[in-house]
Amino acid sequence: MTGPNDRPGDTADRIPDGPRSRRVRGGPRSRRVRGGPPSRRLRGGPRAGRVRTGVPLALLLPALLGVAFLTFPLIALLVRTPWQSLPEQLTSAAVWQALRLSLLCATAATAVSLVIGVPLAWLLARVDFPGRGVVRALVTLPLVLPPVVGGVALLMALGRNGIVGQWLDAWFGITLPFTTAGVVVAEAFVAMPFLVISVEGTLRAADPRYEEAAATLGASRFTAFRRVTLPLIAPGIAAGAVLAWARALGEFGATITFAGNFPGRTQTMPLAVYLALQSDPEAAIALSLVLLAVSIAVLAGLRDRWMSAG
């Protein structure tokens, strides 16, 4: 009941809590009942709009063809390997001599590429100067240049009668063609572009603000490069060095043109394979198998680890 002095709003305030609490408790239940279908629609939505992850047949067939094209020759090499006479072939002195020379020259060529190629990559990535595109094209030219043409170019430049080689011979008595040093030069010429491209790409992806912050703290340009930039691009340098090493290990055309094919001095593994193929195909297959195993071991064991670290 309401009294005469009661205000209209007091009636609602005197209503017992029971009905109101029932309405409050009933609200969520009714909303849950009404909300059932939307929740089912939400659960059904992802199933209805699920992205199909199947590979299109138009892409799968060319991909499988590419895999077969790249791996079938290697499988054929393994099938035709003379496994019974393989130990005898591999224990010969000529094989180990050629393998040792190949590993030594490839490592030396990679070291030369690191000393020259890393500063060159930094220059192309960080310094804007006139003709940078032309310099980049000239640096990467050995990638597409036939190796034999590269060997002829090295002869014209560093040969005994070359533009620079004649002065090296007259002033310092240095002759590069047909020497072990000539093998290193030829391999570095064809392998260094791989390192430059890899390091330049890593430098472009690295944030230059770290170098700018080091400069604001008083570090010189070289100190910032040595203490900041090099640790940032170390994975890219390692990957480029492995690529350059593998390319130098398999170099043939420029080496035979510029350095010749002298056993124990300039005959690397690719040259030994070529020479053995003319007289003893089984020995050529055995040498090729060694070179293949070394290349796979290096690329799979080192480059993948460095690339994942990057």
Side-chain angles (χ1 to χ4, degrees):
M1 295 182 63
T2 59
N5 297 326
D6 293 336
R7 294 187 300 271
D10 294 339
T11 305
D13 295 337
R14 293 183 181 181
I15 296 176
D17 293 336
R20 184 179 298 174
S21 63
R22 283 195 299 272
R23 285 196 297 271
V24 173
R25 288 195 300 269
R29 285 200 299 269
S30 63
R31 286 196 296 271
R32 283 197 298 269
V33 173
R34 289 194 301 269
S39 64
R40 288 194 296 272
R41 285 195 297 269
L42 288 175
R43 289 194 300 268
R47 289 198 298 269
R50 183 176 299 170
V51 179
R52 299 181 61 183
T53 58
V55 181
L57 188 62
L59 298 179
L60 181 61
L61 291 180
L64 294 178
L65 181 61
V67 172
F69 176 73
L70 295 175
T71 58
F72 184 75
L74 304 179
I75 296 175
L77 180 63
L78 295 176
V79 172
R80 292 300 181 91
T81 299
W83 297 103
Q84 294 181 354
S85 60
L86 186 62
E88 181 182 356
Q89 297 283 353
L90 297 181
T91 53
S92 63
V95 172
W96 288 105
Q97 192 177 49
L99 180 60
R100 176 180 173 276
L101 184 62
S102 296
L103 297 177
L104 178 64
C105 292
T107 303
T110 304
V112 172
S113 300
L114 284 170
V115 173
I116 303 175
V118 173
L120 177 57
W122 180 87
L123 183 70
L124 294 175
R126 288 288 190 263
V127 181
D128 189 8
F129 57 90
R132 183 172 62 173
V134 177
V135 173
R136 182 181 292 108
L138 293 175
V139 168
T140 56
L141 187 60
L143 291 176
V144 297
L145 194 68
V148 176
V149 178
V152 173
L154 288 174
L155 278 176
M156 297 300 102
L158 301 176
R160 187 183 295 272
N161 297 321
I163 297 176
V164 179
Q166 59 180 343
W167 300 111
L168 291 177
D169 188 18
W171 293 351
F172 306 102
I174 298 176
T175 303
L176 291 176
F178 310 107
T179 61
T180 304
V183 177
V184 175
V185 171
E187 292 182 351
F189 177 77
V190 299
M192 191 172 66
F194 290 89
L195 175 70
V196 173
I197 290 178
S198 178
V199 176
E200 184 186 358
T202 307
L203 279 168
R204 291 185 178 275
D207 194 346
R209 290 179 296 180
Y210 293 104
E211 302 175 22
E212 296 172 0
T216 58
L217 295 176
S220 63
R221 200 72 181 268
F222 180 73
T223 302
F225 172 79
R226 181 172 55 89
R227 300 291 298 273
V228 178
T229 307
L230 278 182
L232 284 176
I233 65 173
I237 294 177
V242 173
L243 288 176
W245 189 90
R247 179 64 183 88
L249 185 67
E251 169 52 32
F252 173 80
T255 302
I256 196 172
T257 306
F258 183 66
N261 187 14
F262 300 100
R265 188 171 62 180
T266 64
Q267 188 181 84
T268 58
M269 284 292 288
L271 302 182
V273 171
Y274 175 76
L275 185 63
L277 188 60
Q278 301 177 4
S279 58
D280 191 357
E282 291 188 354
I285 294 175
L287 293 173
S288 301
L289 187 64
V290 172
L291 201 57
L292 177 64
V294 172
S295 301
I296 292 177
V298 170
L299 291 179
L302 298 181
R303 182 175 179 267
D304 289 347
R305 176 166 58 88
W306 283 333
M307 291 296 288
S308 62

